[in-house]
Amino acid sequence: MDLAFVIILGALWGSFANVCIVRLPNEKGVVSGRSHCPKCEKKIVWYDNIPIISFFLLRGKCRNCKTSISIQYVIVEAINIISFVAIYYFFGISITTILLMMLSLSFLIIFFIDLKHFIIPNVLTFSMMFVGFFKSFDPNLHPLFPNYINSLIGGVFGYGIIWSIIYFYKQVRKKEGMGLGDAKLLAVVGFWFGWVSIPFVLFCSSILALLWVVPDLIKKSKKLTSQIPFGPYIILASILFFVSKQKIMLLL
């Protein structure tokens, strides 16, 4: 029964994530206003807006104008369901579960927004910074989370190291290399998981980005100066850190 509830919860919040992914880059509200088809602008009735199920019932097309619906909607909802179920499986019904679900949902939204629009909304990073730091004052929280001193150092360190890279790159190349959105996102990681997460996440995200870009450089479909979204790689590296944190801590 609990698992079924978590699956439904994951699907519903996954649907909300899709709303955020579409609306936040356009600075539109995510709470008010019903969903509508971007092509014909007809409002979507509730039975056509059931996460995942409606997509397949409609065969991936708008009921009114028959325009294809992006598979991204299903992917986002499916990922969120898997994330929620995995978190629930390992942490059960707890404050830690709620916190990690909040973080994973925010990461999911940021991942797809940055991937498509090359921006990371402040409303997400600032709110996650606050939650990440505020939770660190609870002495009874799961040990995977740092205390408030470690959290504060991590947040400042995460922001500072990306800011430094941006600053020195601009001094040398006379142009922007990264965005401050990446600095804020790495600060989120620091606030949530402490300073020890920053070197690991920065290194792994750089390697992941390099592995993704190198084939395009070889094919000459991208240049060294081409813009790439770095946020998704920070998120993937953060997940790697989270999964392997206990082993990493033993090595330090």
Side-chain angles (χ1 to χ4, degrees):
M1 185 66 181
D2 288 341
L3 181 59
F5 175 75
V6 172
I7 291 173
I8 294 171
L9 194 67
L12 293 175
W13 280 107
S15 181
F16 176 73
N18 275 319
V19 172
C20 293
I21 291 167
V22 171
R23 297 186 185 183
L24 285 179
N26 299 313
E27 298 183 351
K28 294 181 179 179
V30 298
V31 178
S32 61
R34 284 173 54 187
S35 298
H36 62 273
C37 173
K39 181 70 174 180
C40 65
E41 298 188 351
K42 184 177 178 62
K43 290 183 178 179
I44 301 173
V45 293
W46 70 267
Y47 49 81
D48 284 343
N49 209 21
I50 302 171
I52 298 179
I53 296 173
S54 291
F55 179 87
F56 292 104
L57 290 178
L58 293 169
R59 297 182 180 179
K61 295 182 179 180
C62 171
R63 183 183 293 275
N64 184 58
C65 67
K66 306 304 178 184
T67 298
S68 295
I69 301 170
S70 173
I71 191 65
Q72 174 186 297
Y73 290 96
V74 175
I75 293 172
V76 168
E77 289 161 1
I79 291 174
N80 201 61
I81 291 171
I82 294 169
S83 298
F84 275 30
V85 169
I87 292 168
Y88 168 73
Y89 177 80
F90 286 105
F91 299 98
I93 300 175
S94 63
I95 297 297
T96 300
T97 294
I98 295 173
L99 288 169
L100 289 176
M101 285 180 175
M102 290 172 59
L103 182 64
S104 69
L105 181 66
S106 298
F107 274 178
L108 181 61
I109 297 169
I110 291 170
F111 186 99
F112 281 92
I113 289 179
D114 196 25
L115 196 64
K116 186 174 182 179
H117 300 281
F118 299 94
I119 59 172
I120 300 177
N122 286 333
V123 66
L124 294 173
T125 51
F126 285 149
S127 59
M128 285 299 100
M129 283 184 208
F130 174 79
V131 174
F133 183 57
F134 184 76
K135 68 164 177 47
S136 65
F137 286 91
D138 183 357
N140 299 315
L141 213 53
H142 195 282
L144 69 87
F145 295 127
N147 60 37
Y148 67 93
I149 296 176
N150 193 343
S151 174
L152 181 60
I153 294 172
V156 173
F157 183 32
Y159 184 88
I161 195 167
I162 295 290
W163 183 90
S164 299
I165 293 171
I166 294 171
Y167 176 79
F168 287 112
Y169 184 89
K170 189 173 182 179
Q171 295 301 309
V172 174
R173 299 296 299 273
K174 307 302 180 184
K175 61 181 179 179
E176 299 287 347
M178 298 176 70
L180 284 175
D182 297 321
K184 295 167 191 171
L185 181 57
L186 196 59
V188 170
V189 176
F191 277 120
W192 276 78
F193 301 114
W195 70 267
V196 72
S197 65
I198 301 303
F200 179 94
V201 170
L202 188 59
F203 175 77
C204 288
S205 58
S206 300
I207 295 298
L208 290 171
L210 188 63
L211 291 174
W212 183 261
V213 171
V214 164
D216 290 329
L217 293 176
I218 294 173
K219 292 185 294 184
K220 297 184 178 180
S221 58
K222 284 185 182 293
K223 299 179 181 178
L224 286 173
T225 55
S226 296
Q227 185 180 19
I228 64 167
F230 195 58
Y233 303 109
I234 292 177
I235 290 170
L236 291 175
S238 299
I239 295 171
L240 287 174
F241 175 82
F242 174 77
V243 171
S244 58
K245 182 179 179 182
Q246 298 305 321
K247 292 182 180 179
I248 294 172
M249 294 300 290
L250 290 174
L251 294 174
L252 295 177

